[in-house]
Amino acid sequence: GHGKFMKIFDARQRMLAMLNSHEIQPNVIKELLILDYTLETQQSVLVQGMSAENRLVQLSDQLRCLLTSLIGHIPTEDELQAILADWTVLGGDCAQLKWNGSTESALLLK
């Protein structure tokens, strides 16, 4: 599940780069947006199927991806931008920490 989720995220990031390119033709934008919506739906399905995931590094990666997607929908929210910046810097390091067990570690990460 996690590997597929990350591959979809990478594909969505590449599409976003294409959409932000000045070289993109207007007739391609609609098709890229439809593909992005389809990939976003696939990510949602994968997340729902990974409810038993308890590896903190993978959960940290997934949360960063979901925050990035959320910011794409609400780009004017400065607080979301700040959360993503903090998460990008601190999330991976915090996910490496272990404290008594997976539940306590997840709370520490939170």
Side-chain angles (χ1 to χ4, degrees):
H2 177 71
K4 289 179 186 178
F5 184 89
M6 296 306 291
K7 284 181 184 179
I8 292 171
F9 175 74
D10 291 338
R12 291 186 72 204
Q13 290 299 103
R14 288 191 303 272
M15 273 197 280
L16 179 61
M18 284 188 259
L19 284 167
N20 287 326
S21 170
H22 294 292
E23 299 171 2
I24 191 166
Q25 299 297 315
N27 61 329
V28 177
I29 293 173
K30 180 180 177 183
E31 284 81 11
L32 285 175
L33 289 173
I34 291 170
L35 284 171
D36 182 59
Y37 175 73
T38 303
L39 290 173
E40 183 180 28
T41 302
Q42 285 296 316
Q43 277 186 311
S44 297
V45 169
L46 283 170
V47 165
Q48 291 173 27
M50 293 188 293
S51 61
E53 179 67 75
N54 61 5
R55 297 173 296 173
L56 295 181
V57 174
Q58 286 77 3
L59 289 170
S60 174
D61 286 345
Q62 292 165 14
L63 185 56
R64 180 181 47 83
C65 295
L66 293 170
L67 277 170
T68 302
S69 296
L70 187 58
I71 288 171
H73 292 292
I74 314 170
T76 57
E77 278 295 321
D78 293 338
E79 191 165 335
L80 282 176
Q81 298 275 353
I83 290 170
L84 178 60
D86 288 344
W87 193 260
T88 300
V89 172
L90 302 173
D93 291 340
C94 289
Q96 297 293 330
L97 300 174
K98 303 287 187 239
W99 190 62
N100 290 339
S102 60
T103 302
E104 290 86 359
S105 295
L107 288 172
L108 176 65
L109 185 59
K110 183 180 176 186

